[in-house]
Amino acid sequence: MKFETLTVHAGGGRDRTTFDVAPPIHLSTTFEHGPAAERPGGHIYIRESNPTQDQLAEALAAIEGAEGALVFASGLAAGAAYLQAMPPGSHVLFPDDVYYGFRHIADEFLPRWSMTASTVDMSDLARVAAATTPATRLIWAETPSNPLMKIADLAGLAEIARRSGAKLVVDGTFATPALQRPLDLGADAVLHSTTKYLGGHSDVQGGALVFRKRDDTFEKAEEVRYILGAVAAPFNSWLVLRGLRTLACRMERHSANALALATALEAHPAVEAVHFPGLPSHPGHAIARRQMSAFGGMLSVRVRGGRDGALRAASRMKLFVNATSLGGTESLLEHRASSEGAGSPTPPNLLRVSVGLEHADDLIEDFRQALA
Ligand SMILES: Cc1ncc(COP(=O)(O)O)c(C=O)c1O
């Protein structure tokens, strides 16, 4: 089945007693079992599993062409579970502009879990190969990256990971499975913050790990989720499943709008640079063309005039909302260094933009008046 068809139907087994077309939400925290804890319905307690959560996991595995998926309370919880599934003593190689929550985990938590981490420019395969050590068990890629929109060559990274005996996990939050399929390119797992495009409406928090194989790491991550408890709630799972149904057409419009906006901004005299992999000037454009079917709805703009120039533009926006997060129907804009706080490596004149589903002309006009 084609991707669009799968997103509409995957995980949608119908209840043959009620014949609902839309799935029900199973809120029960506990499930009747046999006297020796036999599970006639397959479930026993909500922290371990529940039917609505399973339906979302089944849908995500189907659309990524994976053997299994686990859904979590947030994207950060999903990523933390993958890291906690690694053996003590592991070295993890992160991108130098990894999402700041994972940078925090690398700095503050991995040492407590007897693991080490280092960072590298993931867009440079030679540097990645040189940065692996005999202890490297995991290469962590994020492409496009947040917020610099760097592109990592996934097939190349998968080859390095294979040679090093390491896993490759890809944070595919910006691209979504609609535009990029890391498992087909050799990755072991894909991470999604389902809070973003998969939910798609800025009204639900969640995360997912999608595994090429139901291997040992899958089992360990499932154990982490069950025992540490960062499991996706039934209502949240249901909302993400509903979001998934429209993912393919939303990503088409997000991508078209972002390309139109990026092209207009690149020609604007008040703009120093636009980071968007769909622009031929982007250093990762050729790789992005190869591994993405479109370039997504995220871009970053470096405004002339430094931090003040960026904040001035942000304060003059009429349509774009100054807010963090991304992937909803409405366009959002964020002075990323302010959100990341002290020690942020993000350039001070950078505005991160989540391009929504409005008409591109209105979005371009809003930037024009703000930059005037
Ligand atoms: C690329 C990326 N990965 C992971 C996360 C974390 O997801 P969550 O906020 O759902 O924990 C985010 C959040 O912004 C993100 O942008």
Side-chain angles (χ1 to χ4, degrees):
M1 248 187 277
K2 302 273 193 226
F3 181 81
E4 291 77 357
T5 314
L6 273 176
T7 55
V8 172
H9 294 283
R14 297 248 157 71
D15 182 330
R16 298 326 286 178
T17 50
T18 59
F19 291 85
D20 300 29
V21 170
I25 309 175
H26 292 271
L27 292 173
S28 190
T29 55
T30 187
F31 300 84
E32 184 177 351
H33 61 65
E38 299 89 346
R39 305 169 178 211
H43 303 281
I44 200 153
Y45 182 55
I46 192 168
R47 180 158 38 72
E48 189 184 71
S49 68
N50 77 75
T52 310
Q53 201 191 93
D54 277 8
Q55 201 169 358
L56 172 60
E58 197 188 304
L60 288 170
I63 68 172
E64 293 267 21
E67 280 188 7
L70 296 169
V71 291
F72 291 82
S74 69
L76 214 42
Y82 200 94
L83 290 164
Q84 285 173 304
M86 292 288 111
S90 297
H91 167 252
V92 184
L93 197 51
F94 285 102
D96 54 8
D97 65 338
V98 66
Y99 171 66
Y100 89 108
F102 294 122
R103 193 170 69 239
H104 190 105
I105 293 182
D107 292 345
E108 301 294 330
F109 289 83
L110 290 196
R112 297 187 210 169
W113 301 338
S114 304
M115 292 163 73
T116 56
S118 56
T119 60
V120 69
D121 179 356
M122 280 290 159
S123 60
D124 185 334
L125 291 179
R127 284 195 195 181
V128 176
T132 59
T133 76
T136 305
R137 292 282 166 276
L138 176 60
I139 298 179
W140 184 286
E142 188 185 308
T143 183
S145 71
N146 179 5
L148 292 179
M149 306 299 300
K150 285 207 238 173
I151 297 295
D153 178 340
L154 291 178
L157 288 180
E159 179 53 27
I160 295 171
R162 199 189 55 73
R163 281 203 310 266
S164 319
K167 301 268 188 204
L168 173 65
V169 65
V170 178
D171 184 338
T173 297
F174 277 21
T176 83
L179 309 182
Q180 181 172 274
R181 302 180 61 80
L183 302 186
D184 294 349
L185 297 170
D188 295 283
V190 189
L191 161 74
H192 293 293
S193 165
T194 58
T195 316
K196 318 300 182 191
Y197 290 105
L198 301 196
H201 296 75
S202 305
D203 56 9
V204 58
Q205 179 179 272
L209 290 172
V210 190
F211 293 77
R212 186 149 50 93
K213 297 263 170 247
R214 270 180 105 98
D215 58 7
D216 196 41
T217 314
F218 176 95
E219 304 289 340
K220 287 211 166 61
E222 189 173 35
E223 181 195 0
V224 169
R225 186 184 69 170
Y226 171 38
I227 297 300
L228 300 190
V231 73
F235 185 56
N236 289 8
S237 300
W238 185 89
L239 278 174
V240 175
L241 188 65
R242 190 173 70 154
L244 214 56
R245 302 303 185 213
T246 55
L247 179 70
C249 37
R250 284 187 288 109
M251 291 316 292
E252 266 180 41
R253 171 62 81 93
H254 282 299
S255 299
N257 277 358
L259 182 59
L261 180 63
T263 306
L265 288 176
E266 198 178 36
H268 196 287
V271 168
E272 187 181 286
V274 179
H275 303 301
F276 181 66
L279 293 175
S281 58
H282 187 287
H285 180 64
I287 296 165
R289 279 185 80 93
R290 212 165 57 223
Q291 67 188 22
M292 300 177 78
S293 56
F295 304 103
M298 294 302 297
L299 58 90
S300 295
V301 194
R302 306 266 287 269
V303 179
R304 286 196 200 283
R307 181 176 190 271
D308 289 348
L311 290 181
R312 179 173 175 273
S315 68
R316 291 169 55 124
M317 289 289 174
K318 296 197 167 117
L319 193 52
F320 281 85
V321 181
N322 276 261
T324 195
S325 202
L326 57 116
T329 55
E330 65 292 311
S331 290
L332 303 179
L333 169 143
E334 179 183 33
H335 181 248
R336 191 68 193 158
S338 296
S339 300
E340 292 181 352
S344 162
T346 299
N349 66 340
L350 182 142
L351 298 175
R352 191 188 74 179
V353 182
S354 171
V355 184
L357 302 179
E358 302 91 340
H359 197 288
D361 290 353
D362 293 329
L363 301 177
I364 292 167
E365 182 45 39
D366 198 25
F367 255 98
R368 282 219 176 97
Q369 66 78 27
L371 291 169

